[in-house]
Amino acid sequence: MNPFRIYLGTALIVFSAAAAAAANAPDGWRMAAPRDEIRPSFAYEPAGGRDGHGSFVIVADAQPGRHGFWTKSFPVQGGQFYQFRALRKVDGAEFPRRSAVARIVWQNDAGKSVPTDEPAVTDVLKRLTRIAEAEHPADGVKDARGWTEVSGVYRAPAKATRAIVELHLQWVSNARVEWSDVAFAETSAPPSRKVRLASVHYRPKGGKSMLENCREFAPLIADAARQQADLVVLPETLTYYHMGKSYADCAEPVPGPSTEYFGTLAKQHNLYIVAGLLEREGPLVYNVAALIGPDGRFIGKYRKVSLPRGEIEGGIQPGSEYPVFDTRFGKVGMMVCYDGFFPEVSRQLAMRGAEVIAWPVWGCNPMLASARACENHVYLVSSTYEDVSSEWMLTAVYDHSGKPIAKAEKWGTVIVAEVDLNQRLLWPSLGDFRAEIPRHRPEWGSEPGGREVGGSN
């Protein structure tokens, strides 16, 4: 058999299949690939999709690294808001968050990139023009039939006249993605989600009981309430500080007496409180952060995973879970002190959706505090026992760029920062890095849901 005839026959089959897919597809949709040698197969199924509305299909064979996408140009008016929405079903791809991705690219009529109008970091790459980088709509929860909603709302840059929507399957073999119910339409501006984050800078004097230590924070919590705080963070192991006792002597059930006391204050002032405590469960002692709600009820706890040598020597047990809690303003995670020296804890919390991380912390390198906030694009709220003169850890609120936007200077004070959880922060050459994290973050076997984030298998 002539090898050229085999190649030619294969090429004709591929071409015919692609032509058929293009012919069946709705107007304006076309197929593309970064390079022909990694191009996957395409099909449009008129009766496909979750509800039979039609679907765009991409199939990767056994060759590694297949990458292709369906794409369409949509007209836009600069300054207006637009919503993208699609349903996606993936088979054979271990990490759909990386392999089955939607992108939106802003262009002018000449097909060129356009400047961004949104707030951007300005103290790096100062000479670089702020371009509107590609958008990466987020994955929602996978339903019982295996379909995940992928969506996002965006403001078209002032000079944009079109949005190029791309539906990808990339970097995989022996996999299939089906995109359905794809919509891109003008919408209203999303509402703001403003929240006032507070932290207390205080060292308990050490009373005769653990409850007396707790009571010392009452006027500071009242001060946070006067500043209209929604969340106030207290320091680490506050029932142990200056007590002159062992960890075990200061441990109690959580929930227990201390959370009950802070619950009365939370309810009185209508705010959330995070308190650093020591928990006893049978013979085990944990260093914990406890979250109490504005109704006075205990919501949940985080058990410190990363233990320093002193706590190991003192018989403290490490935790192993990374809970994230829904509040009336957003999703809150917690970590404790030494956790901040390592990227894994804050990353696990961010992977589970944390928008704010409360951090009771005895002391830590402030550069690592900045890194934990920046690398995850979360607001980090720390409460420390370190004095500012030590040039070590701060009681502060860190923003998405890793900067402390509010920090304490004196003992016995409360710092407050108002932030908008819906306000994006763009970086030059990156754009919305928070949206890119799940798409570009390396594969990690300990992701939520077994191997995937947010139920997007």
Side-chain angles (χ1 to χ4, degrees):
M1 179 70 70
N2 188 326
F4 177 75
R5 288 184 178 179
I6 296 175
Y7 172 81
L8 180 60
T10 302
L12 289 173
I13 293 171
V14 172
F15 177 80
S16 299
N24 291 334
D27 288 345
W29 286 97
R30 63 182 182 85
M31 301 161 292
R35 291 181 289 114
D36 281 342
E37 62 185 326
I38 58 172
R39 184 184 183 93
S41 300
F42 296 88
Y44 180 76
E45 299 181 356
R50 187 183 66 181
D51 302 312
H53 298 154
S55 63
F56 301 91
V57 178
I58 310 174
V59 179
D61 60 15
Q63 177 180 303
R66 292 295 190 187
H67 181 185
F69 55 96
W70 285 94
T71 182
K72 180 180 178 178
S73 175
F74 291 82
V76 299
Q77 181 178 345
Q80 296 298 315
F81 284 86
Y82 293 85
Q83 182 178 44
F84 168 84
R85 180 184 179 274
L87 296 177
R88 184 197 69 200
K89 187 174 185 180
V90 183
D91 294 302
E94 190 172 18
F95 290 90
R97 65 169 175 83
R98 282 170 56 90
S99 299
V101 176
R103 289 203 329 155
I104 302 168
V105 180
W106 306 107
Q107 294 182 351
N108 59 23
D109 283 334
K112 302 294 184 181
S113 299
V114 295
T116 184
D117 312 312
E118 294 187 64
V121 175
T122 58
D123 55 357
V124 298
L125 296 172
K126 296 181 179 180
R127 297 180 182 178
L128 190 68
T129 302
R130 269 51 179 170
I131 296 297
E133 305 290 346
E135 311 288 4
H136 292 78
D139 293 354
V141 176
K142 185 173 66 174
D143 68 18
R145 297 167 61 186
W147 290 89
T148 298
E149 180 174 313
V150 182
S151 63
V153 174
Y154 308 98
R155 182 179 181 272
K159 295 186 177 181
T161 59
R162 59 193 186 190
I164 311 300
V165 171
E166 301 173 352
L167 311 173
H168 287 254
L169 181 66
Q170 60 193 27
W171 309 337
V172 290
S173 58
N174 296 318
R176 181 182 189 272
V177 65
E178 197 173 349
W179 294 93
S180 181
D181 296 86
V182 183
F184 185 83
E186 189 171 330
T187 189
S188 56
S192 62
R193 284 197 295 145
K194 292 184 177 179
V195 56
R196 294 180 66 81
L197 305 173
S199 187
V200 167
H201 192 55
Y202 182 70
R203 291 171 170 170
K205 296 179 175 61
K208 296 180 180 179
S209 68
M210 295 188 297
L211 185 57
E212 285 190 23
N213 269 24
C214 295
R215 286 172 176 158
E216 291 185 37
F217 288 91
L220 296 163
I221 293 170
D223 185 12
R226 283 191 293 271
Q227 299 185 60
Q228 299 181 310
D230 296 292
L231 169 73
V232 57
V233 179
L234 309 183
E236 180 186 11
T237 57
L238 62 87
T239 53
Y240 165 81
Y241 193 87
H242 270 172
M243 289 293 291
K245 298 180 179 180
S246 70
Y247 295 131
D249 288 340
C250 296
E252 61 184 300
V254 176
S258 294
T259 57
E260 184 176 341
Y261 173 74
F262 285 121
T264 62
L265 299 181
K267 185 174 183 179
Q268 176 185 345
H269 298 298
N270 190 31
L271 47 66
Y272 292 87
I273 295 174
V274 171
L277 303 170
L278 287 163
E279 177 194 15
R280 175 178 285 278
E281 184 179 74
L284 303 180
V285 173
Y286 297 91
N287 187 340
V288 303
L291 177 64
I292 299 103
D295 59 359
R297 296 182 181 178
F298 170 79
I299 295 175
K301 62 195 171 190
Y302 162 78
R303 290 169 167 171
K304 186 176 181 178
V305 171
S306 310
L307 299 185
R309 56 183 179 270
E311 293 181 19
I312 297 171
E313 293 164 0
I316 289 182
Q317 176 80 7
S320 59
E321 298 180 347
Y322 307 91
V324 170
F325 302 96
D326 289 314
T327 72
R328 64 188 180 191
F329 60 79
K331 292 183 177 295
V332 173
M334 296 175 285
M335 63 182 189
V336 179
C337 197
Y338 200 51
D339 287 326
F341 279 88
F342 308 95
E344 287 84 358
V345 175
S346 58
R347 177 64 91 202
Q348 288 280 3
L349 296 172
M351 284 161 53
R352 287 160 171 76
E355 299 169 289
V356 175
I357 295 179
W359 188 23
V361 47
W362 197 293
C364 186
N365 187 332
M367 290 190 295
L368 296 178
S370 295
R372 301 296 86 86
C374 179
E375 68 194 1
N376 295 297
H377 264 224
V378 296
Y379 292 101
L380 187 66
V381 188
S382 60
S383 176
T384 184
Y385 293 128
E386 292 289 343
D387 189 90
V388 292
S389 63
S390 68
E391 297 185 354
W392 197 233
M393 194 56 216
L394 302 172
T395 291
V397 178
Y398 293 83
D399 70 5
H400 288 178
S401 72
K403 291 182 178 178
I405 53 177
K407 59 182 180 181
E409 301 290 346
K410 298 179 180 179
W411 293 112
T413 58
V414 177
I415 54 110
V416 179
E418 183 174 272
V419 302
D420 182 352
L421 298 182
N422 275 349
Q423 178 65 63
R424 304 198 304 173
L425 177 71
L426 306 185
W427 290 82
S429 86
L430 285 175
D432 181 2
F433 182 60
R434 180 178 176 87
E436 293 183 22
I437 290 173
R439 303 310 187 192
H440 301 159
R441 177 172 52 78
E443 298 173 3
W444 192 6
S446 58
E447 297 190 9
R451 297 302 302 265
E452 266 306 321
V453 180
S456 57
N457 274 332

